[in-house]
């Protein structure tokens, strides 16, 4: 990181607002707090969260595997891409 910016990864958030050169503040109006009472209103249980996590990890893994397959040998395999995606506008 640039000199003087080492703490950004720890302290910088989407709540941070730049006021000027090297001056920052926090806009707490954008802060959304979720406690167990609010979370329960969503109607999600731990099983739903675990299922969502597993689906997300599976999807990311599948995307990564496909990207590796498409770039085998260091070059984009257009014929493989066309075989899994027949949409002409994306060719």
């Amino acid at each position: 990181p640039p000199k003087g910016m080492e703490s950004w990864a720890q302290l910088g958030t989407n709540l941070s607002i730049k006021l000027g050169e090297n001056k920052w503040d926090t806009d707490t109006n954008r802060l959304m707090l979720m406690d167990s009472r609010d979370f329960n209103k969503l109607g999600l249980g731990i099983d739903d969260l675990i299922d969502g996590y597993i689906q997300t990890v599976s999807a990311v893994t599948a995307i990564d595997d496909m990207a590796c397959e498409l770039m085998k040998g260091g070059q984009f395999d257009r014929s493989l891409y066309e075989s899994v995606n027949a949409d002409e506008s994306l060719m």
Side-chain angles (χ1 to χ4, degrees):
K3 186 173 178 151
M5 298 294 287
E6 295 85 5
S7 65
W8 180 254
Q10 296 280 321
L11 303 173
T13 69
N14 63 348
L15 301 176
S16 300
I17 53 173
K18 188 168 186 171
L19 299 176
E21 186 69 27
N22 297 322
K23 297 197 185 292
W24 293 88
D25 199 3
T26 302
D27 182 5
T28 56
N29 292 324
R30 296 186 293 183
L31 181 63
M32 180 185 292
L33 297 176
M34 294 292 286
D35 59 16
S36 59
R37 179 182 44 117
D38 293 327
F39 189 77
N40 289 334
K41 288 181 185 174
L42 295 174
L44 295 172
I46 190 72
D47 290 341
D48 298 312
L49 294 174
I50 292 170
D51 185 49
Y53 174 78
I54 291 171
Q55 286 183 26
T56 301
V57 170
S58 297
V60 169
T61 302
I63 291 168
D64 189 55
D65 289 348
M66 178 57 78
C68 290
E69 238 358 86
L70 288 169
M71 289 303 295
K72 241 184 199 170
Q75 216 168 3
F76 184 71
D77 187 344
R78 187 178 174 97
S79 62
L80 174 60
Y81 183 73
E82 288 173 346
S83 74
V84 296
N85 181 24
D87 189 345
E88 278 299 316
S89 65
L90 296 175
M91 296 298 144

